[in-house]
Amino acid sequence: MKERIERLKKLTYIPQNEIAWLIEQAELSVKQQGIIEENKRQQDITVHQFRQAQKDIQHLSGQSSRYKQALEKIITNLNFAITVAQNELEGDVK
């Protein structure tokens, strides 16, 4: 292709079939540019979605950690309440 373009540059008269080939190549180039731009747009969307998913995962991980801590406190308080209740029952039994 490069050789053909160089040969055409040297001509003073360009035959019709060569002009048709040049037009075809130009149209192909425009289509390829459109495809490249669409792929870039899709890539940008994918990157944005990935970053948003990372943020969501970090947020949910933080929430999970807070829920776990709260649950551990509840369990500790329940264990304490059970121990107190057992002590009171043992005191009533004696």
Side-chain angles (χ1 to χ4, degrees):
M1 184 161 120
K2 194 173 188 178
E3 296 85 21
R4 191 171 184 179
I5 291 170
E6 289 303 318
R7 185 175 57 80
L8 289 173
K9 285 181 182 178
K10 295 175 186 173
L11 296 176
T12 55
Y13 165 76
I14 301 177
Q16 189 66 32
N17 65 335
E18 296 294 345
I19 291 174
W21 179 81
L22 285 172
I23 291 170
E24 183 182 303
Q25 294 304 309
E27 290 172 345
L28 181 60
S29 178
V30 168
K31 288 178 184 177
Q32 288 173 337
Q33 187 61 36
I35 291 168
I36 289 168
E37 288 172 4
E38 178 61 19
N39 286 344
K40 172 126 178 51
R41 189 182 74 79
Q42 290 293 331
Q43 183 180 19
D44 290 343
I45 289 171
T46 302
V47 167
H48 176 73
Q49 289 174 336
F50 178 77
R51 288 184 179 149
Q52 186 61 47
Q54 280 182 319
K55 288 179 185 177
D56 291 346
I57 289 169
Q58 288 173 347
H59 176 71
L60 292 172
S61 294
Q63 280 185 338
S64 174
S65 177
R66 285 192 297 278
Y67 288 138
K68 183 178 177 183
Q69 289 173 352
L71 200 56
E72 287 171 352
K73 286 180 183 178
I74 290 170
I75 290 170
T76 301
N77 290 340
L78 285 174
N79 284 335
F80 178 74
I82 290 169
T83 302
V84 168
Q86 284 175 338
N87 290 341
E88 286 180 6
L89 282 175
E90 288 175 6
D92 288 344
V93 173
K94 292 181 184 178

